[in-house]
Amino acid sequence: MKARIAIVASSFNDYITKGLLKACLAELQRQGLQQGQITTVWVPGSFEIPVAALKLAKRKNIDAVICLGAVIRGETYHFEIVANECARGIMQVSLMTGKPVIMGVLTTETVAQAQARAGGKGSDNKGRDCARAVLEMIALLKHI
Ligand code: INI
């Protein structure tokens, strides 16, 4: 596939998001994308993902954006704010630009739940799922 893909990854909880990114890149490469087709940028936290995704999605040479983050519940309402606004922003960017903006932001109650979705071999990995979803969506939007 000739597509160019941007990945926006959050540094907050990077012990989780690095696992998402690693699996995402591995799957994109397994599906035939070259390193030069993929641009990765880091933002401080998931709350900052949408604005970076918007700037990238507006670029003519970017076909789709993958958003990777990990919002893990703490003791305050902050979790809801970050998780909800991040998800809302990601959807807005997709609808505003008409490009796939893939939601790879984990929202979990515990660190263990996040690890189970971002781990290595054998565990589920949301980053890998996002790589598959982005390629499916790029192909679909070209077709319909
Ligand atoms: N950002 C995350 O990506 N995950 C979190 O779990 C999180 N918590 O729990 O606070 C978090 N907060 C930072 C936020 O995304 C912004 O970077 C910060 O509020 C500055 O705007």
Side-chain angles (χ1 to χ4, degrees), residues 10 12-13 44-48 69-74 78-79 82:
S10 162
F12 203 102
N13 294 330
S46 296
F47 197 73
E48 285 74 39
V71 190
I72 301 170
R73 187 182 287 282
H78 195 64
F79 168 90
V82 174

Side-chain angles (χ1 to χ4, degrees), residues 4 6 15 21 27 41 59 77 93-94 105 135 143:
R4 284 200 52 128
Y15 61 99
L21 179 61
E27 181 66 13
V41 303
R59 278 168 50 171
Y77 185 63
V93 174
S94 192
V105 179
L135 298 177
H143 180 67

Side-chain angles (χ1 to χ4, degrees), residues 7-11 14 17-18 21 40-44:
I7 301 174
V8 182
S10 162
S11 300
D14 71 350
T17 60
K18 281 180 184 168
L21 179 61
T40 303
V41 303
W42 288 87
V43 293

Side-chain angles (χ1 to χ4, degrees), residues 73-141:
R73 187 182 287 282
E75 291 179 354
T76 70
Y77 185 63
H78 195 64
F79 168 90
E80 267 87 5
I81 301 285
V82 174
N84 292 343
E85 296 310 319
C86 174
R88 192 197 321 266
I90 288 170
M91 178 55 80
Q92 278 180 355
V93 174
S94 192
L95 296 177
M96 282 166 65
T97 59
K99 293 183 183 178
V101 183
I102 302 299
M103 167 69 173
V105 179
L106 299 176
T107 53
T108 64
E109 297 289 325
T110 64
V111 169
Q113 287 172 351
Q115 283 168 332
R117 289 157 182 79
K121 282 184 187 147
S123 88
D124 278 342
N125 194 299
K126 187 77 178 164
R128 182 200 55 212
D129 296 347
C130 287
R132 293 175 182 165
V134 84
L135 298 177
E136 186 176 339
M137 285 304 296
I138 290 169
L140 176 73
L141 294 187

Side-chain angles (χ1 to χ4, degrees), residues 17-75:
T17 60
K18 281 180 184 168
L20 297 174
L21 179 61
K22 191 174 167 195
C24 184
L25 291 171
E27 181 66 13
L28 290 174
Q29 280 162 23
R30 201 183 70 80
Q31 302 253 6
L33 271 86
Q34 309 294 313
Q35 272 185 2
Q37 293 175 264
I38 306 164
T39 304
T40 303
V41 303
W42 288 87
V43 293
S46 296
F47 197 73
E48 285 74 39
I49 287 176
V51 69
L54 178 62
K55 188 144 192 197
L56 289 160
K58 278 182 172 172
R59 278 168 50 171
K60 282 206 174 84
N61 63 348
I62 295 290
D63 297 291
V65 181
I66 297 173
C67 302
L68 301 177
V71 190
I72 301 170
R73 187 182 287 282
E75 291 179 354

